[in-house]
Amino acid sequence: MGDNSLLRTDKELAEMYQRNVNRVYKLCYIYLKNAVDAEDAVQSVFLKLLQSNVYFNDYEHEKAWFITTTKNYCKDILKSWWKRQRVDFETLPDIASQDKDKQEKEIIAKLLALPEKYRVVLHLYYLEDYSVKEIAKILGRNESTIRSQLQRGREKLKIDLGGKDLEQKSCEQNI
């Protein structure tokens, strides 16, 4: 890892981008529910990296910085007056996964329709492989709250999908 962001080489920045761009995009998409807004947010998050003097101790620290910065940026966007005036949710399923099969589209659409507190926790747990403890630290919530949100999010998603079996990952394994 580099000593200082001002001293990062183009190669180091390119490697950071390759390691984190998919993670940042997915999280932006989970929050913003729109591919175009997610792409803009990804650009802004990486711009924040270029403008910061943050030093990463290791790859986990770097990953946590990207997730926290992305979460905060997306929440700021969602609070903005302009974003609150827009209605683009109806076009989401077609944009969300043009190259995915029908079942994946349905799951993504139902996941994106969940309230933010469930959507983000499910994303971090299943797609980013964070433990309950790590999610609690990232989101600034209690571990018991995260466990409850995981359970309720899974139940809501299962009900929304008509009771179809979902890949279950035991919440207890990370306790």
Side-chain angles (χ1 to χ4, degrees), residues 105-123:
K105 284 182 180 179
E106 183 183 1
I107 291 172
I108 290 170
K110 297 296 183 185
L111 176 65
L112 294 174
L114 291 174
E116 180 184 309
K117 62 184 177 182
Y118 302 131
R119 192 174 62 236
V120 172
V121 169
L122 288 171
H123 171 80

Side-chain angles (χ1 to χ4, degrees), residues 36-64:
V36 174
D37 289 345
E39 290 169 2
D40 288 346
V42 168
Q43 182 178 356
S44 296
V45 168
F46 280 96
L47 184 60
K48 285 182 181 286
L49 172 67
L50 293 174
Q51 295 171 337
S52 74
N53 289 328
V54 65
Y55 169 75
F56 300 120
N57 297 326
D58 54 27
Y59 292 130
E60 285 301 313
H61 182 215
E62 176 185 298
K63 181 179 173 183

Side-chain angles (χ1 to χ4, degrees), residues 9 11 30 38 41 65 68 72 80-81 83 90 103 114 118 122 127 136 140 147 159 171 173:
T9 64
K11 182 182 176 191
I30 290 293
W65 183 89
T68 302
N72 291 338
S80 72
W81 177 87
K83 180 67 179 171
E90 292 78 20
Q103 185 179 13
L114 291 174
Y118 302 131
L122 288 171
L127 300 177
R147 281 191 291 276
I159 290 169
C171 182
Q173 72 187 30

